[in-house]
């Protein structure tokens, strides 16, 4: 899951950035493994970022970045990366705000996943119900007809007599109340 809030001057880099999700990223891997954010006040010169990443920050004029884990209970869903063209010092209040944002994003992502899982389960349940109804119809037919000849058997005749008797009683009751 990747999203980008861009200005006109960074639009040219957004497609390249979106494709980056499939490339190996040691920073993302470290955040996923440790479940702890990584903060880079000077992303263009920080040795923890691979050279290609630092070059990206230089080309896009991004100065600071932070990568936060998206956690839902014990599951790591991904990361939330933020970047700024202005240098950020990542004060405790800003980190707390961004961790709260990451928690909200993780909750939304988990909710979407659960909704999709529920929709798939509902579709599967509907298919199974249709198969059951079809099977029950076949079994009902087989129970009321002779397997060899296909003509109605005694059960069918008994059920038909009962149904007709009940209908006749209702007709008599309706006629007597009219």
């Amino acid at each position: 899951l990747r999203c980008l809030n861009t200005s006109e001057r960074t639009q040219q880099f957004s497609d390249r950035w979106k494709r980056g999700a499939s490339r190996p990223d040691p920073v993302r891997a470290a955040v996923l493994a440790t479940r702890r954010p990584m903060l880079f006040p000077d992303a263009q010169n920080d040795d923890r970022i691979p050279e290609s990443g630092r070059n990206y920050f230089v080309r896009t004029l991004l100065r600071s970045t932070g990568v936060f884990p998206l956690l839902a209970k014990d599951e790591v869903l991904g990361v939330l990366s933020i970047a700024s063209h202005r240098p950020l010092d990542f004060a405790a209040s800003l980190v707390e705000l961004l961790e709260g944002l990451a928690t909200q994003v993780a909750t939304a992502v988990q909710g979407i996943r659960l909704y999709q899982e529920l929709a798939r389960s509902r579709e599967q349940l509907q298919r199974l119900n249709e198969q059951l109804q079809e099977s029950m119809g076949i079994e009902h037919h087989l129970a009321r007809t002779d397997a060899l000849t296909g003509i109605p058997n005694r059960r069918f005749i008994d059920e038909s007599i009962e149904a007709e008797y009940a209908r006749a009683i209702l007709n008599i009751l309706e006629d007597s109340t009219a």
Side-chain angles (χ1 to χ4, degrees), residues 97-145:
L97 174 73
L98 293 171
E99 286 177 332
L101 178 61
T103 300
Q104 293 294 320
V105 170
T107 301
V109 168
Q110 185 67 3
I112 291 167
R113 283 183 170 181
L114 291 173
Y115 178 80
Q116 291 171 336
E117 185 179 322
L118 178 62
R120 284 190 299 271
S121 295
R122 189 175 289 142
E123 289 171 4
Q124 182 180 13
L125 184 59
Q126 181 65 32
R127 282 192 306 273
L128 291 172
N129 186 39
E130 290 169 2
Q131 289 174 356
L132 179 61
Q133 293 295 325
E134 183 180 324
S135 176
M136 288 174 59
I138 292 169
E139 288 176 9
H140 182 71
H141 174 73
L142 291 174
R144 299 172 74 221
T145 58

Side-chain angles (χ1 to χ4, degrees), residues 150-165:
I151 60 175
N153 62 17
R154 180 175 173 141
R155 178 179 287 149
F156 175 79
I157 294 169
D158 289 344
E159 288 174 0
S160 297
I161 290 171
E162 286 180 31
E164 289 300 318
Y165 179 75

